[in-house]
Amino acid sequence: MTKKTGKSKSRNKDQRHLKAVPSAPKMPLQLVLNHRVVDSMAVDFIQWHATEDPDPAGAFECLELVKLFLTAQHAINGSSSATALDSESMEQAAGAIAAALGPDETDEAFDDVYFALHSYVHFLKATGRWGGTEAAYEELHSALGRGIAAAVPPLPVIQVPDLSDEHQDAAFNAMPLIQRATSLLDWIGTGKEITSTGALRLKDIEPAAAAVGVQARGKRAASRAVPLFDLETAEKQPKTLLEVGTMHDVPVLREIWSALVGAGLITLGSTKAIPGPEVAAWNSTRIEERLDIRRMLSVVLLVGVLTDADQVWDQEAVAGTLLAVLTYGTTDEPMPVAELERMASPDLEGALLQDVDLEDTELDETGFEDAALEEIYASFAALQAQQKLSLLAELGLVAAATDYRVPPVAIQCLDLAMGFLKLEDEPSDATESPSNVIALHGPSRTGSPPKGR
């Protein structure tokens, strides 16, 4: 994992942080050897690091911060290791580095060190160089993740509204997500054939997409349906019909299908998708059961959008932006739609001018580049979050007229989704399945539970 936002501007940051290193007595031999171990990995680390950042300067900066960390660790504990770090000494050393800096630099120092160590530890594990135990690695990975999360500005506390069961039932029934999920379940019926990857066959994409309100079809199915030069047939086809190579290219269908699977409403076999064990609850005459499964579907979909493994941009930056917009959408200070649009449109000229001292006779070209890159990184994250919010708005989990607001019935779902994201890193039988989210993380985590829960 590498830090993407504002990467270039901090190339010399390790030099600024040197003053924060507690003095280690006469550079002990063990520390010298550990520094040499880190240096010996430089070529391999640069190549590994290049998969996310082709600029070797970012890799060098990362390794310098690792050596900075080892120096602080040795000064505190009298020992260090270049390949078997532990979470306790990691937190102590990172804290010492940050504490030795000025108040304005503390958060940035934590950010730098944690991101560098996270990337370095991933490299050690991926290349077989990790010298500690598996348990130590998992503990360190968890600690580093918490450190990175701590660098993100705190989000507002979600206050879950107290809604009657009848209010929730009516709100869910009016929600496009629930309506489209119902249509897709009706279309699936007793079962539909799927490919070895668990996706619908190309010929079934069009009716499945229609069930969720989208005009799309599989490319090969389209070529068979419209003979060559049959202009009369071709002219009758919808002008906005989307031709795709897989159902995953239809975002609404992909997300609803995945949520249905995660919520237990669809079960995927080797060749067929059939109704899952929770379908009975979906059609139950008992309002409590209907609310539970509709809430679960919404939670699983939100978790899927927030933890998109196929995210082409920095997943953490996108998720952080998205979470900020959603959580503030539950308060009296929602983000205006126009503000996110502004964030998604980089002001490169303004970013460059910010780093220019008009009294200087020489312009810092590196400053120009860094400011522009920072602006571009932030705008891409905002753009990706904007696209995800558009999807959530289409499904009724967000209202996006002038501000991004989370509807009352969806606030409890967002709260549950965030609770699921905060699950402990050591899963048990009770936490491995998303269908246990409600039982493990009720709405009472951050607010009063809804009526009837």
Side-chain angles (χ1 to χ4, degrees):
M1 192 199 96
T2 57
K3 181 184 176 184
K4 299 193 178 175
T5 303
K7 184 189 298 290
S8 299
K9 72 174 184 177
S10 56
R11 288 176 183 167
N12 297 319
K13 200 176 294 180
D14 52 291
Q15 297 178 6
R16 191 184 69 235
H17 292 334
L18 283 175
K19 64 181 181 180
V21 183
S23 57
K26 298 182 180 179
M27 195 67 165
L29 178 60
Q30 183 189 50
L31 180 58
V32 173
L33 294 177
N34 282 330
H35 279 206
R36 289 180 179 176
V37 170
V38 173
D39 290 335
S40 71
M41 302 178 189
V43 174
D44 289 342
F45 183 77
I46 291 170
Q47 293 174 346
W48 179 85
H49 194 269
T51 59
E52 293 189 1
D53 178 18
D55 186 355
F60 276 117
E61 177 191 331
C62 182
L63 293 180
E64 288 303 310
L65 285 174
V66 169
K67 291 194 290 185
L68 190 68
F69 159 79
L70 292 175
T71 302
Q73 181 189 46
H74 205 105
I76 294 172
N77 300 318
S79 64
S80 58
S81 172
T83 59
L85 289 66
D86 67 274
S87 59
E88 182 177 356
S89 62
M90 180 272 299
E91 292 177 344
Q92 292 175 343
I97 293 173
L101 295 170
D104 295 337
E105 297 176 293
T106 299
D107 290 341
E108 190 175 4
F110 266 120
D111 192 6
D112 296 339
V113 174
Y114 275 87
F115 269 103
L117 290 176
H118 214 180
S119 184
Y120 177 70
V121 168
H122 280 184
F123 164 75
L124 293 177
K125 185 69 172 177
T127 59
R129 290 178 167 91
W130 173 251
T133 64
E134 189 68 25
Y137 172 79
E138 294 298 333
E139 183 179 355
L140 180 62
H141 187 276
S142 174
L144 286 168
R146 289 195 301 270
I148 292 171
V152 178
L155 299 174
V157 175
I158 297 177
Q159 297 295 333
V160 179
D162 186 2
L163 306 175
S164 68
D165 287 351
E166 292 73 18
H167 182 113
Q168 294 178 68
D169 193 42
F172 274 126
N173 289 337
M175 185 182 289
L177 168 61
I178 304 305
Q179 295 173 352
R180 297 184 188 190
T182 299
S183 296
L184 189 56
L185 288 171
D186 290 343
W187 174 78
I188 292 171
T190 58
K192 294 293 180 183
E193 293 184 9
I194 56 176
T195 67
S196 59
T197 62
L200 287 168
R201 297 178 302 173
L202 285 172
K203 73 173 188 177
D204 288 330
I205 290 178
E206 186 169 2
V212 296
V214 179
Q215 291 183 327
R217 65 185 176 197
K219 287 181 180 179
R220 286 186 292 176
S223 63
R224 293 194 297 268
V226 183
L228 191 61
F229 303 125
D230 187 351
L231 296 179
E232 181 179 354
T233 303
E235 288 176 356
K236 293 179 181 179
Q237 299 297 324
K239 302 300 183 183
T240 58
L241 193 65
L242 176 67
E243 291 189 348
V244 297
T246 170
M247 65 171 286
H248 299 297
D249 293 335
V250 186
V252 175
L253 176 59
R254 178 189 67 225
E255 297 299 341
I256 294 179
W257 178 273
S258 297
L260 288 172
V261 173
L265 289 161
I266 298 177
T267 297
L268 301 182
S270 57
T271 61
K272 199 171 186 180
I274 61 175
E278 299 297 334
V279 165
W282 189 266
N283 299 315
S284 175
T285 57
R286 297 183 63 244
I287 190 171
E288 295 86 357
E289 290 184 353
R290 293 200 306 275
L291 290 178
D292 277 349
I293 191 58
R294 282 156 173 72
R295 191 179 297 114
M296 176 55 59
L297 179 71
S298 304
V299 170
V300 174
L301 189 138
L302 282 168
V303 170
V305 171
L306 287 166
T307 58
D308 184 2
D310 296 327
Q311 177 64 51
V312 297
W313 194 245
D314 185 350
Q315 182 179 332
E316 290 188 359
V318 176
T321 303
L322 186 58
L323 273 176
V325 174
L326 290 174
T327 52
Y328 275 97
T330 69
T331 71
D332 293 331
E333 300 178 351
M335 172 175 282
V337 173
E339 176 63 15
L340 191 60
E341 289 178 352
R342 184 197 63 76
M343 292 171 59
S345 302
D347 179 13
L348 299 183
E349 181 179 357
L352 295 178
L353 291 176
Q354 286 180 2
D355 274 19
V356 177
D357 186 347
L358 296 181
E359 295 181 358
D360 292 340
T361 57
E362 297 183 0
L363 298 181
D364 184 357
E365 294 181 0
T366 302
F368 277 13
E369 177 188 352
D370 295 345
L373 286 175
E374 181 181 5
E375 187 74 14
I376 291 172
Y377 290 145
S379 68
F380 268 112
L383 180 61
Q384 292 289 323
Q386 189 181 44
Q387 293 173 351
K388 290 176 177 290
L389 286 164
S390 296
L391 173 65
L392 295 178
E394 183 177 350
L395 297 178
L397 290 168
V398 175
T402 57
D403 303 310
Y404 288 108
R405 296 180 181 273
V406 180
V409 75
I411 292 178
Q412 59 183 312
C413 302
L414 175 62
D415 185 53
L416 289 166
M418 293 185 66
F420 178 64
L421 293 172
K422 296 173 184 176
L423 283 173
E424 295 296 330
D425 293 314
E426 298 180 2
S428 66
D429 291 339
T431 62
E432 289 178 349
S433 170
S435 62
N436 291 300
V437 175
I438 289 179
L440 293 168
H441 297 275
S444 58
R445 287 176 62 88
T446 55
S448 58
K451 185 176 180 180
R453 298 301 311 133

